[in-house]
Amino acid sequence: MSKLHLVFGGRVSDPMTLDFKDPANLDVVGVFPDYASAEKAWRGAAQRTVDDAEMKYVVVHLHRLLEPDLTV
């Protein structure tokens, strides 16, 4: 199975949380086949918004959601 990763971001109410203010308007960067490419996309997106404390980007391990019993 591919180890898919999703990168997305948006405005958060508190930078210490993942409480997105407007989930309908999240910036979906993309789905990536491995962590390295997802991290590269995440870094690029986060760097573009580095001066905006309310913007937060994350990497979601989709493969862990699709098959939670796998430990790898």
Side-chain angles (χ1 to χ4, degrees), residues 1-24:
M1 180 178 87
S2 296
K3 293 195 174 182
L4 299 175
H5 296 80
L6 168 66
V7 178
F8 72 91
R11 295 207 168 280
V12 291
S13 55
D14 177 355
M16 299 297 288
T17 71
L18 292 174
D19 184 20
F20 290 96
K21 288 183 178 181
D22 188 6

Side-chain angles (χ1 to χ4, degrees), residues 20-53:
F20 290 96
K21 288 183 178 181
D22 188 6
N25 288 312
L26 291 175
D27 176 21
V28 177
V29 178
V31 176
F32 301 88
D34 54 61
Y35 184 78
S37 58
E39 182 182 25
K40 183 176 179 182
W42 167 79
R43 286 188 187 282
Q47 189 64 38
R48 284 191 300 276
T49 61
V50 71
D51 293 330
D52 187 346

